[in-house]
């Protein structure tokens, strides 16, 4: 992967972008479609800080979880004000930046600044639990795993060490581990009692039906623009006032997942009075491709295009 060969003074920024983009999105998708155009548009932290938020959100289209893009933009501005346009090389200062959690901070320190810290993602956690025979029910499990990872890291080459552990967890020490080919097998304390040293997570999902309206007037359509909350600064298809017993013509539907929600969004031909009125704006149909829209609305827009023939 190209991000494994980044070096030079701008590498921490590039690692930062790749880590934030891949938080909720597969790294292969990030690298294929988003990473390079984003860095081309904003090659440095300073360029990102100076860009209008709307432009940053437009380049984030399709990645979803737009709070990540807003936090990146905010963090870039803080770094320009406080750290001369560079990311700080210190864990506490990195954690204080919006959107940088424990994992991302350590990934930036190790992969960007080559510091000897353990990087524990879900794959590495699985390896460590088994390798050191740690029962997952223990209190403060995250701290225990981090301490183990920090003590285990190779101080001479933390970059390769952490990348190798991530790969081992992703490819060998999986749900069905291949202990026979594992290079850590000789030292693994948990391989004969895998059940005991594996964390099983229950996935809870909530089904959500949303009924949205398409209302077009003279090549313009009504969208909802929020100024606050999860969807702040994004355009979305407006919800219908009435979310039950709908008699409007159905144009199509899409499915979308975020966090624990499995959304089934249906789009209806609607009149202005059918729409929830908050934040409504008339937008030119041809401008929509250049506006920041939520991932769900991007999917609904594809449904619209079939009907509007644009
Ligand atoms: S020996 Fe098996 S359980 Fe232990 S780290 Fe390797 S793959 Fe995982």
């Amino acid at each position: 992967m190209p991000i494994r060969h980044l070096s030079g003074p701008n590498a921490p920024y590039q690692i930062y972008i790749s880590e934030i983009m891949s938080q909720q999105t597969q790294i292969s998708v990030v690298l294929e479609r988003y990473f390079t155009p984003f860095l081309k548009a904003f090659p440095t932290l300073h360029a990102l800080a100076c860009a209008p938020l709307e432009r940053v959100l437009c380049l984030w289209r399709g990645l979803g979880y737009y709070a990540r893009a807003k936090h990146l933009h905010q963090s870039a501005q803080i770094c320009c004000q406080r750290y001369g346009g560079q990311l700080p090389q210190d864990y506490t200062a990195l954690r204080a930046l919006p959107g940088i959690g424990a994992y991302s901070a350590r990934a930036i320190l190790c992969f960007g600044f080559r510091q000897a810290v353990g990087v524990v993602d879900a794959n590495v956690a699985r390896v460590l639990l088994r390798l050191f025979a740690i029962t997952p029910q223990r209190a403060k499990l995250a701290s225990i795993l981090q301490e183990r990872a920090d003590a285990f890291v190779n101080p001479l080459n933390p970059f390769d060490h952490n990348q190798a552990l991530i790969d081992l967890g992703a490819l060998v020490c999986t749900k069905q581990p291949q202990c026979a080919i594992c290079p850590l097998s000789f030292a693994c304390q948990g391989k004969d009692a895998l059940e005991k040293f594996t964390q099983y997570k229950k996935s809870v999902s909530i089904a959500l039906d949303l009924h949205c309206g398409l209302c077009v007037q003279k090549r313009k359509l009504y969208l909802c623009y929020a100024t606050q909350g999860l969807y702040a600064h994004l355009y979305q298809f407006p919800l219908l006032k009435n979310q039950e017993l709908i008699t409007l013509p159905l144009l199509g539907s899409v499915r979308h997942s975020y966090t624990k929600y499995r959304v089934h969004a249906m789009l209806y031909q609607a009149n202005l009075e059918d729409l929830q009125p908050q934040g409504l704006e008339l937008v030119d149909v041809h401008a929509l491709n250049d506006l920041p829209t939520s991932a769900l609305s991007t999917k609904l827009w594809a449904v619209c295009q079939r009907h509007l023939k644009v």
Side-chain angles (χ1 to χ4, degrees):
M1 285 199 289
I3 50 167
R4 299 213 169 163
H5 304 287
L6 296 173
S7 58
N10 208 29
Y13 168 65
Q14 295 166 326
I15 293 288
Y16 173 38
I17 300 299
S18 74
E19 287 297 334
I20 300 298
M21 281 187 170
S22 57
Q23 273 174 6
Q24 313 277 352
T25 313
Q26 282 180 0
I27 188 69
S28 55
V29 176
V30 165
L31 294 178
E32 221 176 274
R33 289 164 42 193
Y34 298 100
F35 183 65
T36 306
F38 195 89
L39 284 178
K40 214 169 159 190
F42 315 116
T44 60
L45 210 50
H46 184 257
L48 178 60
C50 295
L53 177 61
E54 192 161 287
R55 183 156 153 67
V56 178
L57 295 176
C58 277
L59 274 147
W60 205 264
R61 267 172 79 121
L63 271 168
Y65 298 93
Y66 282 83
R68 293 181 293 169
K70 292 174 200 167
H71 286 152
L72 270 177
H73 189 241
Q74 222 181 330
S75 295
Q77 292 177 335
I78 294 172
C79 288
C80 285
Q81 287 157 10
R82 293 189 197 157
Y83 307 115
Q86 302 295 322
L87 283 161
Q89 301 191 29
D90 161 78
Y91 179 77
T92 310
L94 279 173
R95 283 299 310 274
L97 294 173
I100 299 191
Y103 171 79
S104 302
R106 290 194 171 90
I108 293 166
L109 290 176
C110 176
F111 303 134
F113 294 112
R114 310 279 168 144
Q115 290 186 20
V117 292
V119 179
V120 184
D121 70 354
N123 288 320
V124 174
R126 189 168 51 251
V127 175
L128 296 175
L129 283 172
R130 293 164 173 176
L131 180 62
F132 296 113
I134 300 166
T135 47
Q137 295 77 18
R138 290 175 67 168
K140 299 191 178 165
L141 182 64
S143 309
I144 292 169
L145 291 176
Q146 190 58 56
E147 279 168 25
R148 284 287 185 166
D150 289 341
F152 186 45
V153 78
N154 178 346
L156 298 178
N157 193 345
F159 186 100
D160 283 355
H161 171 98
N162 280 310
Q163 293 289 1
L165 267 189
I166 291 171
D167 284 351
L168 191 79
L171 303 171
V172 179
C173 192
T174 56
K175 209 170 164 188
Q176 306 284 343
Q178 303 173 68
C179 302
I181 61 160
C182 175
L184 293 179
S185 184
F186 74 97
C188 183
Q189 298 167 35
K191 67 181 178 199
D192 296 323
L194 287 168
E195 287 274 314
K196 196 172 161 192
F197 305 116
T198 297
Q199 191 166 34
Y200 299 97
K201 285 198 175 158
K202 283 187 207 141
S203 63
V204 184
S205 73
I206 298 172
L208 196 61
D209 284 349
L210 293 179
H211 304 278
C212 307
L214 172 66
C215 175
V216 182
Q217 288 183 354
K218 295 182 186 163
R219 308 298 294 164
K220 291 189 172 184
L221 63 94
Y222 279 98
L223 291 179
C224 171
Y225 184 77
T227 52
Q228 289 180 9
L230 187 62
Y231 295 107
H233 312 295
L234 298 176
Y235 288 87
Q236 298 195 83
F237 280 87
L239 289 170
L240 295 178
K241 273 185 202 159
N242 183 1
Q243 288 287 302
E244 289 169 9
L245 300 171
I246 299 152
T247 53
L248 299 169
L250 179 67
L251 300 175
S253 67
V254 297
R255 294 196 181 269
H256 180 68
S257 299
Y258 67 97
T259 60
K260 60 187 176 190
Y261 297 101
R262 305 286 167 264
V263 179
H264 183 205
M266 285 148 273
L267 186 70
Y268 300 85
Q269 186 75 58
N271 294 311
L272 183 55
E273 57 272 21
D274 298 317
L275 307 177
Q276 290 188 8
Q278 295 82 8
L280 282 185
E281 284 188 18
L282 255 183
V283 172
D284 194 297
V285 168
H286 294 288
L288 203 75
N289 284 332
D290 299 321
L291 293 177
T293 51
S294 69
L296 175 61
S297 291
T298 304
K299 289 183 182 176
L300 285 174
W301 175 229
V303 173
C304 282
Q305 282 174 308
R306 292 202 291 272
H307 291 276
L308 297 173
K309 302 202 173 22
V310 290

